[in-house]
Amino acid sequence: MGSHTVSRLFGTDGVRGRANADLTPDLALRLNIAAARVLGATGRRTVAVIGRDPRASGEMLAAASAAGLAAAGAKVIDLGILPTPAVAHLTALTGADFGVMVSASHNPMPDNGIKFFAAGGRKLPDDVEDAIEAALDDPAPLPQGEGVGRIVRSVDPVDSYIDHLVAVCPNPLTGIKVVVDPANGAATGAAPEALRRAGAEVVTINDQPDGLNINEDCGSTHMDGLRAAVIAHGAGAGIALDGDADRCLAVDAEGNTVDGDAIMAILALAMRDAGTLSGGVLVTTVMSNLGLHQAMGAAGIELETTKVGDRYVLERLSEGGYSLGGEQSGHIILSEHATTGDGSLTAIMLLARMAATGRTLKDLASVFTPAPQVLLNVRVADKSVIDHEDVRNAVALWQAKLGADGRVLLRPSGTEPLVRVMVEASEEPVAQSVAAELAAVVEHAHS
């Protein structure tokens, strides 16, 4: 295990893999000893908090992680099953030196992952992850005797997180009936309860986690059950979370999907009206739809784009001192209230806007009309073909031709020998033909 390349161990969201195959208790143990050495306090005992989602493998991996932390001399506060954003929140609230979350988010049940939050509940920068990786091979002896850390179980960590969610809700959710699908995941207890305490009438589905059914045909990756439930219960909205509840998608009363772009459009306008949209800026990734650019332009809100990945959105938010950012996937960051994407918080803010305006979710979402999008994958031997002169010229030419009514984006796949060609235009056939033409240019330049 010693000679890992960095990309092998830490991905865009911590260390993730098949539990007990790629991600073993042994690796979890050593990773947490290393993390305690890098992130720990000097001159006093390190304090770390640890939480997990309900996956069966989370029991052994959280136990191994806690053992590693204690072996490195840290006091460990075990938070039990909690959403990822709750672990980030409690890292800050308890003043811990760092936090650990054992979860593979929206991935299928056999996977698991470990991610770390720095003091204050923030994601780790790349260089700190590199340092943890390097420390895996540190031969320094471990503390003994009274230097060994202790593990304590936290009392009611879910309650303090729910209190936080209810406290930031800008107005009561009176008159809102909502169906919540927590994906048999980490927010099964917290999200419905927070919405109830904030005043909503809540119906839950997929709320019986057994360790094996997380994300299975439910949550933000499978929304048909939620659509059906919203219509059956005559609810005003449906909320879909993922396994660790850091993302949120919604459906309106008719069962139409309200994706991350639409949610960001609604929240940006709500925050602009409330005077809480700092700088009048919304931060999103290059994958957000052209329709979002147009809706924000019409509302006088500036859109700043980053590379794909919530860590880049977070970076831009903190650099610019901005208050709202996110991704099409429903990973939305309200930086005034959270240090990471928080699906339950997003849901509360979305429903609060409905309650405050008396408008339906469909009506609120109508500010955003997605432009038709065509995505083609072109197999290449070398992804640097993206920088070939012919390719760059073709992209510039088509972007100029489409003007404000279209958008062209070429990007290399992070994991496969592919170039992704994405074209948005006001008409589907236009997007199709431009994408096909660009794909041909990439193939030709490549040969």
Side-chain angles (χ1 to χ4, degrees), residues 244-323:
D244 70 335
D246 61 355
R247 60 174 71 182
C248 162
L249 294 176
V251 300
D252 67 21
E254 294 168 22
N256 305 305
T257 300
V258 179
D259 73 359
D261 284 346
I263 294 172
M264 284 189 282
I266 295 168
L267 295 184
L269 293 175
M271 290 168 70
R272 179 199 66 184
D273 293 354
T276 55
L277 187 68
S278 59
V281 170
L282 167 64
V283 178
T284 182
T285 75
V286 290
M287 287 311 281
S288 277
N289 190 280
L290 174 68
L292 183 60
H293 291 251
Q294 292 168 335
M296 294 299 94
I301 291 168
E302 195 184 326
L303 202 67
E304 290 203 8
T305 56
T306 72
K307 289 191 291 193
V308 176
D310 66 300
R311 61 189 311 141
Y312 302 112
V313 175
L314 277 160
E315 234 163 62
R316 192 71 205 95
L317 286 170
S318 74
E319 281 165 11
Y322 303 135
S323 51

Side-chain angles (χ1 to χ4, degrees), residues 15-25 27-28 60-61 112-114:
V15 177
R16 211 176 273 189
R18 187 57 67 105
N20 234 14
D22 313 312
L23 184 54
T24 59
L27 177 57
M60 85 185 168
L61 290 171
N112 218 322
I114 297 176

Side-chain angles (χ1 to χ4, degrees), residues 103-119:
S103 171
S105 191
H106 56 282
N107 285 27
M109 182 277 292
D111 290 354
N112 218 322
I114 297 176
K115 63 179 138 187
F116 298 98
F117 290 105

Side-chain angles (χ1 to χ4, degrees), residues 74-429:
K75 174 187 176 181
V76 185
I77 303 170
D78 180 1
L79 303 172
I81 294 175
L82 271 189
T84 293
V87 172
H89 175 70
L90 287 159
T91 301
L93 195 68
T94 57
D97 295 292
F98 64 100
V100 185
M101 178 69 184
V102 178
S103 171
S105 191
H106 56 282
N107 285 27
M109 182 277 292
D111 290 354
N112 218 322
I114 297 176
K115 63 179 138 187
F116 298 98
F117 290 105
R122 311 209 168 266
K123 289 209 167 182
L124 302 185
D126 293 347
D127 57 336
V128 177
E129 290 183 343
D130 294 350
I132 293 174
E133 180 124 13
L136 276 173
D137 299 319
D138 183 347
L142 293 166
Q144 294 168 19
E146 61 187 27
V148 172
R150 306 291 290 269
I151 302 172
V152 296
R153 196 59 213 252
S154 173
V155 219
D156 296 333
V158 182
D159 272 355
S160 54
Y161 173 61
I162 292 171
D163 290 344
H164 155 69
L165 290 173
V166 176
V168 301
C169 183
N171 48 272
L173 306 182
T174 322
I176 302 282
K177 182 176 186 178
V178 60
V179 179
V180 178
D181 177 357
N184 291 311
T188 301
E193 180 60 20
L195 292 170
R196 276 192 196 103
R197 284 197 210 165
E201 181 188 343
V202 181
V203 176
T204 52
I205 59 172
N206 303 313
D207 60 347
Q208 304 292 320
D210 61 10
L212 308 177
N213 58 3
I214 188 169
N215 295 325
E216 192 181 343
D217 296 329
C218 60
S220 59
T221 47
H222 302 86
M223 291 171 62
D224 288 346
L226 179 62
R227 273 184 253 286
V230 166
I231 291 163
H233 289 279
I239 295 293
L241 304 173
D242 65 335
D244 70 335
D246 61 355
R247 60 174 71 182
C248 162
L249 294 176
V251 300
D252 67 21
E254 294 168 22
N256 305 305
T257 300
V258 179
D259 73 359
D261 284 346
I263 294 172
M264 284 189 282
I266 295 168
L267 295 184
L269 293 175
M271 290 168 70
R272 179 199 66 184
D273 293 354
T276 55
L277 187 68
S278 59
V281 170
L282 167 64
V283 178
T284 182
T285 75
V286 290
M287 287 311 281
S288 277
N289 190 280
L290 174 68
L292 183 60
H293 291 251
Q294 292 168 335
M296 294 299 94
I301 291 168
E302 195 184 326
L303 202 67
E304 290 203 8
T305 56
T306 72
K307 289 191 291 193
V308 176
D310 66 300
R311 61 189 311 141
Y312 302 112
V313 175
L314 277 160
E315 234 163 62
R316 192 71 205 95
L317 286 170
S318 74
E319 281 165 11
Y322 303 135
S323 51
L324 180 66
E327 298 184 287
Q328 206 172 26
S329 62
H331 203 282
I332 291 164
I333 302 147
L334 292 136
S335 55
E336 196 186 332
H337 307 302
T339 52
T340 186
D342 186 336
S344 309
L345 174 65
T346 301
I348 274 189
M349 293 304 190
L350 186 63
L351 298 173
R353 180 63 167 174
M354 288 172 65
T357 57
R359 291 166 65 187
T360 65
L361 185 51
K362 185 180 182 181
D363 183 33
L364 288 171
S366 67
V367 60
F368 162 73
T369 311
Q373 183 184 88
V374 174
L375 188 62
L376 298 179
N377 288 325
V378 185
R379 220 158 243 295
V380 293
D382 182 1
K383 292 187 257 197
S384 69
V385 67
I386 269 191
D387 297 319
H388 192 288
E389 195 180 354
D390 293 353
V391 175
R392 291 223 301 258
N393 289 343
V395 168
L397 174 74
W398 278 112
Q399 188 58 73
K401 277 190 185 174
L402 291 167
D405 291 328
R407 202 164 70 96
V408 175
L409 178 71
L410 265 62
R411 62 187 195 99
S413 157
T415 48
E416 297 169 274
L418 300 173
V419 167
R420 304 194 195 284
V421 177
M422 194 272 280
V423 178
E424 289 168 342
S426 46
E427 311 282 329
E428 176 92 26

